[in-house]
Amino acid sequence: SSRKGYSVGVSFRHRLLDEAPRALNVAASVAKYGNLKKLPDAQNIDTPYDSFYTGSAEIVYSNLNGTIGSVEAERGVMAKLAASDTYVLEEHKVKLRTDLTKGFLLPLDHSSLWLMTSFGYSFGDVGDSFAEFHFGGFGNNWVDNGSVNRYRRHYSFPGMELNRIPGTTYAKGTIEWTVPPVRFKRLGFPALYANWAHLSLFSSGIITNLSKDDESRLLSVGAQLNVKVVIFSSLASTLSVGHAVALEEGWAPERESMISLNILH
């Protein structure tokens, strides 16, 4: 979606375990793309060939929960294994990835410390856009309907331009502190009011192209504030603002600001 060209594909999702808060999900998909100018999962990266096939599969385990009165999950674990393949010019571009997230409650009410890691390996060559992972940016849209906290995704790296960081291998780590939310007794009017505000402070580090001549190391420090708002008395949405600074060896710091309205989320 949101790409010039066309795609035809099928996908499958199934929940192997559904014992809240524990869940185990599997998903798989295959697709054919044509007349594309940009990669399907990296909107700022040109594709050298406009026709190709993709396939992917993943398995995700999660056991996340929170205390009474929480605004989101406050502790637990989530693990993911993913594989993808792009078939172009009779060649396979296979990528493997694993993510692990662990959250701990802090002594403060509704405050948590999260540790997130992600590792990826591609069997392709550096400089091959089909074989590389691409990182950068908060990842939120101006008006959105997806995840609010995109900085937690493996491809996000706030402070850098979207898809700015390529790599065939990578290791990424993020530490996040969620500050106790502030609840509003009365802020706004019946057609538009706010329920609470929730601030998160985070820092990410990434190494790409490990053990190669063009290895790069980057650090990002940022914050995001989410405000739950209700529009027209019943439509709950989330207004998010964020700012981050990214540092790369030998380069001047880069900065990014983000504002997003997540509709019905």
Side-chain angles (χ1 to χ4, degrees):
S1 61
S2 300
R3 298 289 188 274
K4 182 180 180 180
Y6 71 87
S7 66
V8 179
V10 294
S11 62
F12 168 80
R13 294 181 180 275
H14 181 62
R15 179 160 289 193
L16 298 175
L17 176 65
D18 190 5
E19 298 178 357
R22 296 187 303 147
L24 181 64
N25 299 306
V26 294
S29 66
V30 293
K32 163 69 163 68
Y33 291 89
N35 297 337
L36 258 67
K37 303 297 183 183
K38 304 289 184 178
L39 290 181
D41 56 354
Q43 67 187 53
N44 284 348
I45 305 299
D46 295 330
T47 172
Y49 304 103
D50 65 354
S51 180
F52 50 89
Y53 298 85
T54 65
S56 65
E58 67 177 30
I59 181 168
V60 183
Y61 172 78
S62 62
N63 184 0
L64 304 171
N65 54 69
T67 57
I68 295 176
S70 62
V71 299
E72 63 173 352
E74 296 177 332
R75 62 187 175 190
V77 63
M78 182 170 64
K80 176 185 291 188
L81 291 174
S84 65
D85 181 21
T86 301
Y87 183 69
V88 56
L89 294 182
E90 299 183 351
E91 291 186 2
H92 291 275
K93 316 287 185 177
V94 179
K95 294 187 288 188
L96 306 176
R97 194 184 90 246
T98 180
D99 304 335
L100 179 62
T101 297
K102 177 69 175 176
F104 308 87
L105 274 172
L106 296 177
L108 295 172
D109 286 344
H110 305 305
S111 180
S112 303
L113 183 70
W114 292 88
L115 303 176
M116 292 163 271
T117 60
S118 181
F119 304 91
Y121 182 86
S122 171
F123 293 90
D125 299 323
V126 174
D128 183 346
S129 59
F130 286 109
E132 291 179 318
F133 300 91
H134 298 92
F135 309 90
F138 275 91
N140 300 67
N141 297 304
W142 290 99
V143 178
D144 216 330
N145 68 341
S147 172
V148 173
N149 298 315
R150 299 265 179 92
Y151 61 85
R152 296 172 179 170
R153 299 292 180 88
H154 79 277
Y155 57 77
S156 178
F157 201 80
M160 302 295 288
E161 184 181 356
L162 194 67
N163 309 141
R164 163 78 165 70
I165 310 165
T168 54
T169 58
Y170 77 90
K172 179 186 175 187
T174 299
I175 183 169
E176 175 189 354
W177 174 38
T178 57
V179 180
V182 176
R183 301 181 184 276
F184 304 116
K185 182 177 181 180
R186 184 175 300 169
L187 180 62
F189 43 91
L192 177 63
Y193 61 90
N195 286 331
W196 48 257
H198 196 204
L199 176 66
S200 296
L201 307 175
F202 58 85
S203 179
S204 298
I206 189 172
I207 305 175
T208 61
N209 297 322
L210 285 76
S211 303
K212 298 181 180 180
D213 293 338
D214 45 6
E215 177 181 290
S216 61
R217 300 167 180 262
L218 300 98
L219 177 68
S220 172
V221 179
Q224 180 170 319
L225 177 68
N226 299 323
V227 181
K228 178 64 71 174
V229 296
V230 179
I231 305 173
F232 303 126
S233 301
S234 61
L235 304 180
S237 302
T238 304
L239 177 65
S240 300
V241 294
H243 185 78
V245 178
L247 303 171
E248 184 177 8
E249 290 181 321
W251 295 86
E254 296 193 25
R255 294 173 172 80
E256 179 192 12
S257 296
M258 179 274 295
I259 183 169
S260 174
L261 178 62
N262 198 287
I263 303 295
L264 304 181
H265 193 284

